[in-house]
């Protein structure tokens, strides 16, 4: 029996795949939330050069950035229960999705920590010193001066991280989680129309990625509006300066009839 390509299957599979969208979004939301919390804590030792914790943070980041996330899923799903059994803690009966969210969250935290560190270091140190000069505390300087600018700088990188995490959730089906990719595998096996199934899946991921990209772009514009305002003011200032320093203006200043000669004193 031959199974030819049929575009109708694409439209039939999209609602069926969307029925598991809540599982995919749950993984993304849980991983991003956990990653932001842990990533901030991991970034602090390197920002403040805490001797021992700084090295631990570097090892943590190197491990999660340097190993495939699929290997990390297997290590945490199969290895973590065995390690905890040594201290009489049994988590082998927990739902698989908890291990998936934990693994993705720890992976995201490594990238978030580097994003936070780079964004904070990109803020001009002179602004912090000026904040101290007007009487702000360290907490006030960080929350009012450094944090808003660092968030605006980090948004583009963070948006790429969220979109990448959305696509990485397709690996969760390797542990038996029935999210969209797992559902697509099942539909393809039952109908033998794998091409149509994965086209429908690709369309869903594409629409979600574009929507997330647009939302992050709006957030980036709102958070960086003060930077654009400062840049426009600087441009207006230099434009006025250029208008004043035209050739005609210099000629009038240096014409022979002008008896006012600038005096320079030693």
């Amino acid at each position: 029996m031959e199974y030819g390509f049929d575009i109708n299957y694409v439209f039939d599979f999209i609602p069926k795949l969307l029925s598991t969208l809540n599982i995919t979004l749950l993984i993304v939301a849980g991983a991003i939330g956990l990653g932001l919390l842990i990533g901030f804590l991991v970034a602090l030792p390197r920002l403040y050069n805490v001797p021992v914790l700084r090295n631990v943070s570097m090892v943590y980041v190197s491990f999660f950035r340097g190993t495939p996330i699929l290997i990390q899923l297997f290590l945490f799903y199969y290895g973590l229960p065995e390690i905890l059994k040594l201290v009489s803690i049994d988590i082998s009966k927990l739902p698989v999705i908890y291990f998936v969210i934990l693994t993705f969250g720890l992976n995201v935290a490594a990238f978030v920590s580097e994003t936070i560190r780079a964004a904070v270091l990109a803020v001009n140190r002179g602004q912090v010193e000026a904040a101290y000069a007007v009487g702000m505390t360290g907490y006030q300087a960080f929350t009012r001066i450094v944090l808003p600018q660092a968030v605006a700088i980090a948004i583009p990188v963070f948006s790429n991280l969220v979109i990448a995490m959305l696509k990485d959730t397709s690996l969760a089906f390797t542990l038996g989680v029935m999210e969209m990719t797992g559902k697509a595998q099942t539909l393809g096996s039952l109908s033998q129309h794998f091409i149509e199934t994965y086209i429908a899946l690709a369309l869903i991921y594409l629409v979600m990625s574009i929507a997330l990209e647009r939302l992050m772009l709006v957030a980036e514009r709102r958070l960086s509006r003060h930077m654009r305002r400062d840049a426009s003011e600087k441009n207006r200032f230099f434009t006025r300066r250029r208008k004043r320093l035209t050739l005609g203006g210099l000629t009038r200043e240096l014409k022979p009839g002008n008896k006012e000669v600038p005096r320079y004193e030693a």
Side-chain angles (χ1 to χ4, degrees), residues 223-252:
L223 291 171
S224 61
R225 60 184 181 273
H226 64 281
M227 296 183 180
R228 296 197 303 272
R229 184 171 60 249
D230 293 342
S232 63
E233 290 177 357
K234 289 181 181 178
N235 290 335
R236 286 197 298 268
F237 172 77
F238 286 115
T239 301
R240 289 196 299 267
R241 292 288 297 174
R242 284 196 296 269
K243 289 180 179 178
R244 291 175 184 175
L245 296 177
T246 58
L247 181 60
L250 289 174
T251 304
R252 286 193 299 272

Side-chain angles (χ1 to χ4, degrees), residues 19 29 57:
S19 65
S57 173

Side-chain angles (χ1 to χ4, degrees), residues 4-71:
F5 179 80
D6 189 352
I7 190 65
N8 293 320
Y9 278 97
V10 176
F11 300 106
D12 291 339
F13 287 152
I14 288 178
K16 296 177 181 178
L17 293 174
L18 288 176
S19 65
T20 56
L21 178 61
N22 59 332
I23 303 298
T24 299
L25 294 179
L26 176 62
I27 296 173
V28 173
I32 294 299
L34 185 63
L36 286 173
L37 176 61
I38 299 177
F40 180 75
L41 297 177
V42 172
L44 289 178
R46 300 186 68 182
L47 286 173
Y48 292 97
N49 289 321
V50 181
V52 178
L53 295 179
R54 182 175 182 272
N55 295 331
V56 174
S57 173
M58 293 176 63
V59 172
Y60 173 89
V61 172
S62 298
F63 172 77
F64 281 98
R65 292 179 66 189
T67 56
I69 193 169
L70 183 61
I71 303 301

Side-chain angles (χ1 to χ4, degrees), residues 17-259:
L17 293 174
L18 288 176
S19 65
T20 56
L21 178 61
N22 59 332
I23 303 298
T24 299
L25 294 179
L26 176 62
I27 296 173
V28 173
I32 294 299
L34 185 63
L36 286 173
L37 176 61
I38 299 177
F40 180 75
L41 297 177
V42 172
L44 289 178
R46 300 186 68 182
L47 286 173
Y48 292 97
N49 289 321
V50 181
V52 178
L53 295 179
R54 182 175 182 272
N55 295 331
V56 174
S57 173
M58 293 176 63
V59 172
Y60 173 89
V61 172
S62 298
F63 172 77
F64 281 98
R65 292 179 66 189
T67 56
I69 193 169
L70 183 61
I71 303 301
Q72 297 167 18
L73 282 171
F74 291 149
L75 286 175
F76 278 90
Y77 180 65
Y78 295 109
L80 186 60
E82 297 299 325
I83 294 175
L84 293 180
K85 282 181 181 179
L86 299 176
V87 291
S88 301
I89 299 177
D90 186 13
I91 61 172
S92 58
K93 296 182 180 179
L94 284 177
V96 182
I97 194 170
Y98 288 106
F99 294 95
V100 172
I101 293 175
L102 175 64
T103 305
F104 280 122
L106 294 175
N107 182 273
V108 169
F111 292 91
V112 167
S113 68
E114 289 297 287
T115 302
I116 292 174
R117 189 174 67 90
V120 170
L121 294 178
V123 178
N124 190 352
R125 180 65 185 176
Q127 299 183 41
V128 180
E129 295 174 355
Y132 291 151
V134 299
M136 286 189 182
T137 63
Y139 175 78
Q140 290 174 334
F142 180 79
T143 55
R144 297 182 183 181
I145 306 298
V146 177
L147 186 60
Q149 298 183 67
V151 171
I153 294 170
I155 280 292
V157 180
F158 182 71
S159 63
N160 293 334
L161 182 61
V162 173
I163 293 173
M165 174 54 53
L166 172 66
K167 293 182 290 186
D168 286 341
T169 56
S170 60
L171 297 174
F173 89 97
T174 59
L175 296 182
V177 178
M178 190 55 66
E179 43 78 57
M180 287 196 299
T181 304
K183 184 71 172 180
Q185 183 74 16
T186 303
L187 290 174
S189 300
L190 293 175
S191 64
Q192 294 300 308
H193 286 272
F194 288 97
I195 297 178
E196 294 90 334
T197 304
Y198 290 117
I199 288 176
L201 183 63
L203 290 175
I204 294 174
Y205 275 115
L206 179 62
V207 171
M208 293 176 62
S209 297
I210 292 174
L212 284 174
E213 182 181 0
R214 296 300 180 186
L215 288 174
M216 291 296 179
L217 184 60
V218 171
E220 179 186 355
R221 288 175 178 173
R222 289 182 62 86
L223 291 171
S224 61
R225 60 184 181 273
H226 64 281
M227 296 183 180
R228 296 197 303 272
R229 184 171 60 249
D230 293 342
S232 63
E233 290 177 357
K234 289 181 181 178
N235 290 335
R236 286 197 298 268
F237 172 77
F238 286 115
T239 301
R240 289 196 299 267
R241 292 288 297 174
R242 284 196 296 269
K243 289 180 179 178
R244 291 175 184 175
L245 296 177
T246 58
L247 181 60
L250 289 174
T251 304
R252 286 193 299 272
E253 291 292 333
L254 298 176
K255 65 182 179 180
N258 190 355
K259 295 183 179 179

